[in-house]
């Protein structure tokens, strides 16, 4: 298709300043990191000011808000605690996500040096660095996260699909059926919030509001 | 309190249905029905004029067919989820107004005038498109399901939420109009990228969360759509107005809303949404990443806990939805005895690739307990597994991708409950 090959001539060239404003992503090897640095103690101050109201003074989390520290060696437990320290494979992700999307409700308000400092403090909160640690675009590459090798690429085709294909059982598939769990015993399903009818199928006009 | 209220409501509705039943079917009515013998106001007076409702909402009697929130699931309602009322819907197309939402920093308001889409990275010409530019590319129409990776996730550890809306309602199915991503990438030129086999695109939204995800180039050039219409009209604000990504068959998180940038890269970004989240922890503590496709799945939507049987014994329509991210649904089996025996249901229409498929089993209910299950098969030959089969491979902490067979215990009263069975 000659038209397609030549393109449609739609859009305009992106300017370098525009790309720089929006292309903020940081790769695991550090590509995309801006120049800058921050230390743990500065990070502690910034964190107390901008992060601790939700994430706690020690990044341990407040209420239901995410815990950023702790949970080491719990990934195989019944109730794993997944934090930056216990779970996240790459430091780049912490930098990238804090820089672009935090604080919640005031994203993209942090200077590069503040982000370096906050990330340094999160590492310190996870017992991964000493309190004199300075994170910069240079020291970044030296750091390896504890769970970096904890991930495998989706293997469902081999481990699951291979055994769950073919003609399934249609008759006499099992001898006995026993109820082992009941949602009504747990009783955590919300009721209707308002005076509106409950979310159950209306069965007759008489069931509708007057 | 839940049980008491539900039971009272159920009994009230059951009585109303019982009264109706005396004049229904093959039975003979004892007295004439005044709804027939008396002239009703709607048969005598006037209804609304055509100027009353420039854009309508459902009639008030359908006020229960709404999105629902489960407060305890998340820390706040901004980075949260709500649920499509699938128990009350039929067919396959989800009405946009009650189609589920999942935001990470709220549903933002972005006008077409303010909208910009950037293509950058390993392209010949980095480009900026306005919304109007996008409408000038050749368009395609496709129906696809969007299922949250976490749909049914609360059920990993047991039967928890009592209703198909809550257990399976992080899903919608719409007819999208948009431009293939490959067309837009071609406009920027992929010559600079060289061998495309090892290239990726990184896509992100205009909202504060950005929701950045990495997608391999093979998928980006295959069927990914840059969509601006759904079910015939503009996207709803909460679904990404004015432009979202449609990623057929793949987990809903990758369907980036308010799409603002596509970057061609020589590797994945490993962003927060593909490391901290949307990775699936196995029993030994290692985690799967890049679990993109949503496997074959189904659920009986009625009868179900929110849609009990209120008409007594006799003819009963058992119905539900089936879907697969790996192709078309070819068959759905339904069991009434907890999986001891199965009957093949009727598909309302032949299954379509990566789209919801409606199934029916028209049956005669004898009023006894039923343990209703449905089991989907897709064109790859894959058979929807039980929760026990999934747990045997993955353990209990995967959070995402729970496509297990669901069981509803239907009691002689017609009430139904979410249960697990042996």
């Amino acid at each position: 298709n000659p038209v397609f090959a030549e393109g449609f001539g739609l859009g305009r060239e992106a300017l370098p300043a525009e790309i720089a404003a929006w292309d903020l992503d940081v790769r695991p090897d550090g590509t995309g990191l801006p120049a800058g640095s921050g230390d743990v103690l500065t990070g502690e101050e910034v964190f107390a000011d901008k992060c601790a109201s939700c994430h706690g003074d020690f990044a341990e989390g407040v209420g239901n808000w995410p815990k950023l520290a702790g949970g080491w060696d719990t990934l195989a437990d019944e109730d794993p605690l997944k934090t930056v320290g216990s779970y996240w494979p790459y430091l780049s992700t912490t930098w990238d996500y804090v820089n672009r999307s935090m604080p919640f409700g005031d994203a993209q308000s942090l200077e590069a040096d503040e982000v370096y400092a906050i990330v340094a403090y999160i590492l310190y909160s996870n017992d991964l660095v000493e309190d004199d640690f300075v994170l910069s675009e240079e020291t970044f590459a030296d750091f390896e996260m504890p769970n970096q090798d904890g991930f495998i690429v989706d293997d469902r085709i081999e481990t699951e699909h291979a055994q769950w294909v073919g003609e399934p059982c249609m008759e006499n598939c099992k001898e006995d059926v026993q109820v082992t769990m009941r949602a009504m015993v747990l009783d955590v399903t919300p009721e209707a919030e308002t005076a509106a009818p409950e979310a159950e199928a209306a069965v007759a006009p008489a069931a509708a509001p007057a | 309190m839940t049980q008491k209220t539900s039971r009272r409501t159920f009994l009230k509705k059951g009585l109303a249905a019982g009264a109706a039943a005396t004049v229904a079917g093959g039975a003979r009515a004892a007295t004439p029905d005044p709804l027939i013998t008396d002239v009703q106001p709607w048969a005598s007076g006037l209804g609304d004029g055509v100027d009353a409702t420039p854009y309508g909402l459902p009639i008030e009697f359908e006020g229960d067919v709404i999105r629902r929130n489960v407060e305890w699931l998340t820390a706040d309602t901004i980075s949260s989820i709500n649920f499509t009322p699938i128990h009350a819907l039929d067919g396959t197309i989800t009405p946009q107004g009650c189609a589920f939402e999942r935001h990470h920093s709220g549903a933002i308001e972005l006008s077409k005038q303010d909208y910009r889409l950037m293509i950058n990275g390993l392209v010949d010409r980095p480009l900026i498109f306005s919304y109007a530019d996008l409408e000038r590319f050749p368009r395609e129409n496709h129906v696809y399901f969007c299922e949250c990776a976490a749909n049914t996730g609360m059920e990993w550890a047991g039967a928890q939420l009592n209703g198909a809306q809550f257990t399976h309602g992080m899903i919608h199915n719409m007819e999208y109009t948009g431009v293939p991503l490959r067309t837009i990438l071609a406009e920027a030129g992929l010559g600079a990228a060289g061998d495309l086999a090892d290239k990726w695109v990184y896509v992100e939204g205009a909202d504060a969360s950005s929701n950045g995800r990495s997608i391999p180039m093979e998928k980006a050039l295959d069927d990914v759509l840059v969509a601006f219409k759904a079910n015939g009209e503009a996207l709803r604000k909460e679904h990404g107005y004015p432009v979202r990504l449609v990623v057929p068959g793949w987990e809903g998180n990758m369907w980036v809303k308010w799409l603002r940038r596509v970057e061609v890269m020589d590797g994945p970004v490993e962003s927060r949404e593909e490391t901290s989240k949307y990775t699936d922890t196995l029993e030994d503590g290692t985690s799967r990443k890049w679990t993109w496709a949503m496997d074959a799945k189904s659920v009986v939507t009625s009868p179900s806990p929110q849609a009990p049987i209120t008409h007594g014994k006799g003819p009963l329509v058992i119905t539900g939805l089936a879907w697969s991210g790996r192709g078309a649904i070819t068959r759905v089996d339904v069991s009434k005895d907890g999986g001891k025996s199965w009957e093949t249901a009727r598909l309302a229409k032949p299954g379509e690739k990566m789209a919801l498929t409606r199934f029916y089993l028209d049956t005669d209910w004898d009023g006894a307990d039923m343990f209703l299950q449905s089991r989907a098969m897709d064109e790859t030959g894959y058979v929807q597994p039980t929760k026990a089969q999934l747990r045997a491979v993955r353990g209990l902490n995967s959070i995402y991708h729970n496509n297990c067979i669901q069981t509803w215990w239907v009691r002689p009263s017609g009430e139904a409950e979410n249960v697990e069975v042996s």
Side-chain angles (χ1 to χ4, degrees), chain A residues 21-22 108, chain B residues 115-118 204-206 258-262:
Chain A
W22 276 10
Q108 303 201 59
Chain B
Y115 179 79
R116 300 288 185 275
L117 175 64
M118 178 186 290
E204 67 178 12
W258 314 290
L259 179 72
R260 85 168 190 185
R261 197 170 68 89
V262 179

Side-chain angles (χ1 to χ4, degrees), chain A residues 16-96:
Chain A
E18 293 170 330
I19 295 172
W22 276 10
D23 183 353
L24 303 174
D25 51 74
V26 179
R27 294 274 299 276
D29 65 2
T31 306
L33 276 175
S37 68
D39 59 53
V40 169
L41 294 179
T42 306
E44 184 177 29
E45 284 174 37
V46 182
F47 197 89
D49 189 31
K50 302 191 173 183
C51 317
S53 62
C54 295
H55 294 296
D57 289 337
F58 307 100
E60 80 283 15
V62 174
N64 271 343
W65 295 101
K67 298 167 172 57
L68 308 181
W72 312 293
D73 301 320
T74 65
L75 298 180
D77 291 359
E78 193 175 325
D79 208 3
L81 174 54
K82 301 184 188 179
T83 70
V84 173
S86 70
Y87 191 63
W88 292 35
Y90 303 110
L91 190 58
S92 56
T93 312
T94 313
W95 205 101
D96 176 85

